[in-house]
Amino acid sequence: MSASLNTAAVATVATVATAVDPACAEPLAVLGRDVTVPLVTGGEVTYAALDYAASAPALQRVWDDVAAYAPYYGSVHRGAGYLSQLSTDLFEQSRVTVAEFLDCRPADQVVFTRSTTDSLNLLAAVLPADCQVFVFETEHHASLLPWVDARVTYLNAPRTPAEAVATLERALADREPGGPALVCVTGASNVTGELWPVKELAAAAHAHGARIVLDAAQLAPHHPVSVQELDVDWVAFSGHKLYAPFGSGVLAGRADWLQEAQPYLAGGGASRKVARREDGGVDVEWHTTAARHEAGSPNVIGVYSIASACKALTEAGFENLVAREQHLIAKVRSGLAEVPAVRILSLFGDDAPRVGVISFVVDGWNSSHFAAALSAEYGIGVRDGLFCAHPLVRTLLGSEPQAQGECGAPEAAPGERSLNAIRVSFGAGTPDEHVDRFVRAVKELVADGAKWQYRTEEGRCVPAV
């Protein structure tokens, strides 16, 4: 499995993925694909789930695998019973499956967490003393905010991939000599969908003696991720964006910082031996394996669902998945381009490689109002707001990046401009009809306006009763 995320390589993947005609390929089966929702204008319609970037629907294959295992559910590690032993084997085999999915190095550790946010906070907790962290302001809050106990340098939003690499190189060259350093970067933006030059950024980091962690929350569901080829030190992602149920995540990569730090959580499972001392205290010997940072009873079903999703995506073939997604991206972008009132948000420009995440604003519309109308009148679920990436969205919308805001809030604070955008996102389970309906709905709303009246309720725009 290989995935050099430089521009040329990604473009090549999209170009050569011709094993099937993407216009004819069937989407992967996901839960909720037949759910109908009521429309305020009357009747019902099949729900169009176009908010994959927040949480992708679970694959039917994953759900079936979990259902087949559920009767055999048991506690893991140290249990003498058959179900405990079976669950332990399944838990540890899932670790192997994830390592293979990410093409990890032989010595890498796979630690199971609750989410990407949890994974990056775990890494922040194990940083060596006096570590310097470098992070672009364009990051999701999950990778922008965990580094409170480190010396952080926030880098301005670049406007090209080459500028991103040059900005990082300058910052690393100017850092204080010696001491550990870490770069945190996204693989694909949760706002624009644009792919970042991860391999080049990793090379720049290593050339200056720094390590790098890849936030792959929006990348892993859409493209293969190879730790070895990208040469990143760690990768983090969430199950609920990888077509698995909520509540599980992964941090995979180099073991040394993980082994040398105190456990992320103290408790059973992380400890190998605990003994009372004569002075009344306790001595603890912690595990040096991934268990060191997996205290407590682990989420076995969540872990197994991630492994199942990894297998399902691998077996479906990323070339085919990428080709079909590029077909959907072209449909949405070409459709929105036909509406002069629509402005698509972008850092790197129209030709930048991207995944199925597109954010935009509509002249004359508050984005919360527009998203509410898409839902209530067309049965389309999108997201509006600042997408937990406030500095990036505010930069793209032309406001001061340090201005305060609240995720999804349609109303501005006193004296502040009302700033929010609309995000449509899709993936392996999205049928053509959903994106066709979305494009048609955008055109109709812009041309004719909403058919219903809306009001603000608890910070949200909702249909008036």
Side-chain angles (χ1 to χ4, degrees):
M1 183 182 298
S2 63
S4 298
L5 289 187
N6 55 10
T7 302
V10 173
T12 300
V13 170
T15 301
V16 303
T18 55
V20 295
D21 180 355
C24 300
E26 290 293 321
L28 299 186
V30 296
L31 296 183
R33 60 190 179 278
D34 298 323
V35 168
T36 59
V37 295
L39 302 180
V40 293
T41 51
E44 293 187 341
V45 67
T46 303
Y47 182 64
L50 297 179
D51 194 15
Y52 275 46
S55 289
L59 288 172
Q60 185 67 52
R61 151 77 180 274
V62 172
W63 198 255
D64 291 344
D65 283 350
V66 168
Y69 161 65
Y72 300 93
Y73 172 78
S75 61
V76 301
H77 301 141
R78 298 171 302 283
Y82 177 80
L83 298 191
S84 289
Q85 294 182 38
L86 185 149
S87 294
T88 298
D89 288 345
L90 181 139
F91 183 78
E92 293 304 330
Q93 184 56 48
S94 295
R95 207 185 301 275
V96 174
T97 298
V98 170
E100 292 173 348
F101 179 76
L102 296 173
D103 190 27
C104 288
R105 297 165 290 254
D108 284 344
Q109 284 189 347
V110 173
V111 180
F112 290 117
T113 67
R114 294 174 295 179
S115 60
T116 308
T117 302
D118 195 34
S119 296
L120 293 170
N121 275 272
L122 163 57
L123 185 60
V126 305
L127 293 180
D130 205 33
C131 187
Q132 293 179 262
V133 176
F134 297 83
V135 56
F136 286 93
E137 67 172 358
T138 47
E139 293 292 311
H140 185 282
H141 293 173
S143 48
L144 186 73
L145 302 180
W147 322 106
V148 292
D149 294 328
R151 290 181 294 148
V152 187
T153 298
Y154 295 104
L155 307 175
N156 292 335
R159 289 297 181 166
T160 67
E163 184 183 340
V165 177
T167 297
L168 178 62
E169 287 181 331
R170 286 194 300 271
L172 291 172
D174 291 342
R175 79 182 180 101
E176 297 176 16
L182 177 71
V183 175
C184 181
V185 67
T186 188
S189 171
N190 78 303
V191 175
T192 68
E194 292 164 323
L195 299 179
W196 278 61
V198 176
K199 189 171 185 177
E200 290 86 344
L201 290 168
H206 293 152
H208 291 276
R211 298 189 182 190
I212 185 168
V213 56
L214 169 63
D215 174 355
Q218 300 296 340
L219 180 65
H222 302 275
H223 278 280
V225 175
S226 168
V227 168
Q228 295 195 67
E229 187 163 341
L230 294 174
D231 198 23
V232 294
D233 298 280
W234 292 276
V235 60
F237 69 89
S238 293
H240 71 99
K241 299 186 192 300
L242 197 78
Y243 309 101
F246 285 96
S248 53
V250 167
L251 177 68
R254 300 195 181 278
D256 54 351
W257 286 6
L258 295 167
Q259 291 175 345
E260 293 163 5
Q262 289 296 303
Y264 182 45
L265 297 173
S271 56
R272 291 186 68 246
K273 184 186 300 183
V274 180
R276 289 293 302 273
R277 296 195 304 263
E278 291 184 2
D279 64 6
V282 294
D283 287 323
V284 184
E285 181 182 337
W286 303 106
H287 279 293
T288 57
T289 64
R292 185 184 189 89
H293 298 290
E294 294 175 344
S297 297
N299 180 1
V300 183
I301 286 181
V303 165
Y304 180 47
S305 70
I306 285 184
S308 174
C310 290
K311 289 181 179 179
L313 293 174
T314 301
E315 291 169 7
F318 267 108
E319 285 192 349
N320 294 339
L321 297 176
V322 168
R324 188 170 189 285
E325 186 171 312
Q326 293 302 313
H327 160 73
L328 296 178
I329 291 171
K331 271 195 169 191
V332 173
R333 287 179 60 84
S334 62
L336 294 181
E338 295 173 358
V339 186
V342 170
R343 177 168 70 91
I344 296 176
L345 305 184
S346 175
L347 269 178
F348 299 155
D350 290 343
D351 296 332
R354 65 190 74 238
V355 299
V357 179
I358 299 168
S359 296
F360 62 99
V361 292
V362 183
D363 290 343
W365 284 81
N366 178 281
S367 294
S368 180
H369 184 192
F370 201 89
L374 286 172
S375 174
E377 300 178 27
Y378 295 90
I380 297 170
V382 297
R383 185 155 294 242
D384 66 278
L386 301 176
F387 318 125
C388 290
H390 294 185
L392 171 57
V393 179
R394 291 179 177 278
T395 294
L396 294 173
L397 293 178
S399 73
E400 291 298 322
Q402 64 268 32
Q404 294 183 353
E406 183 177 343
C407 283
E411 299 299 327
E416 183 181 314
R417 291 175 56 198
S418 178
L419 290 167
N420 56 341
I422 306 151
R423 183 180 71 190
V424 57
S425 53
F426 41 87
T430 305
D432 280 57
E433 189 276 327
H434 288 186
V435 299
D436 291 339
R437 193 195 319 170
F438 166 75
V439 171
R440 184 179 71 253
V442 170
K443 292 179 178 179
E444 291 179 2
L445 286 171
V446 171
D448 304 327
K451 300 181 181 69
W452 204 260
Q453 294 295 314
Y454 296 82
R455 60 185 173 84
T456 299
E457 182 179 287
E458 297 181 353
R460 295 295 310 165
C461 189
V462 297
V465 178

